[in-house]
Amino acid sequence: MTRKKLYPLVVTASLAGLGWLTANLFIPSLGSADTHICLFRLVTGIPCPACGSTTSMLSFLHGDLAGVIRWNPMGLLLLAAMILFPLWILYDRVYGKESFLRFYLGFESILKKKWVMLPAILLVLANWAWSLYKGF
């Protein structure tokens, strides 16, 4: 992945996520289970590994830390990434650096190692099992 491709992709995804989160703050019915925004859930009838992320982030913003865990613990990581990554990229652009690109490439190379990838996959599967268990 090159800087020219990575930076716009991350900024666009982060802004879209923050936009969705902001819309849910002002129009709570957007994220209700009745709207079935998740394509995976719409097709299969079961929650995807990321289901509950928006509600988890909203719980955090409302100070409900138990809600973060209850809905989807990955939501907190997603919220941090959506806020920090665009700021980091802005820093790189202003100062002519490539620190985010180096971070991304380093993280990617670490994640490719089997001793890291397997536990990461197991964590995602455990989180998904939690979503299925609670019957999101």
Side-chain angles (χ1 to χ4, degrees):
M1 177 80 60
T2 65
R3 175 180 162 167
K4 190 174 182 177
K5 290 180 182 179
L6 178 66
Y7 285 24
L9 176 66
V10 171
V11 170
T12 301
S14 296
L15 292 178
L18 289 170
W20 176 248
L21 187 61
T22 302
N24 274 269
L25 280 170
F26 295 104
I27 310 168
S29 63
L30 279 179
S32 73
D34 297 331
T35 59
H36 297 289
I37 299 295
C38 176
L39 183 60
F40 184 90
R41 186 172 182 180
L42 183 64
V43 171
T44 66
I46 60 174
C48 74
C51 276
S53 294
T54 300
T55 308
S56 175
M57 290 184 254
L58 292 169
S59 295
F60 177 77
L61 293 175
H62 289 118
D64 178 13
L65 297 182
V68 171
I69 303 302
R70 182 175 57 250
W71 289 107
N72 189 332
M74 288 191 321
L76 191 56
L77 293 174
L78 291 170
L79 179 60
M82 287 189 311
I83 293 169
L84 295 176
F85 289 175
L87 293 173
W88 191 348
I89 289 169
L90 179 62
Y91 168 84
D92 276 3
R93 295 291 306 231
V94 168
Y95 292 100
K97 309 263 185 194
E98 290 189 343
S99 61
F100 184 79
L101 177 62
R102 286 193 308 276
F103 163 78
Y104 172 82
L105 294 174
F107 185 77
E108 183 182 48
S109 70
I110 290 170
L111 198 56
K112 285 181 180 180
K113 296 177 192 297
K114 288 182 184 178
W115 65 272
V116 176
M117 187 185 305
L118 182 59
I121 291 170
L122 291 174
L123 279 173
V124 170
L125 290 175
N127 186 63
W128 193 13
W130 170 245
S131 290
L132 294 170
Y133 170 75
K134 67 183 177 190
F136 183 87

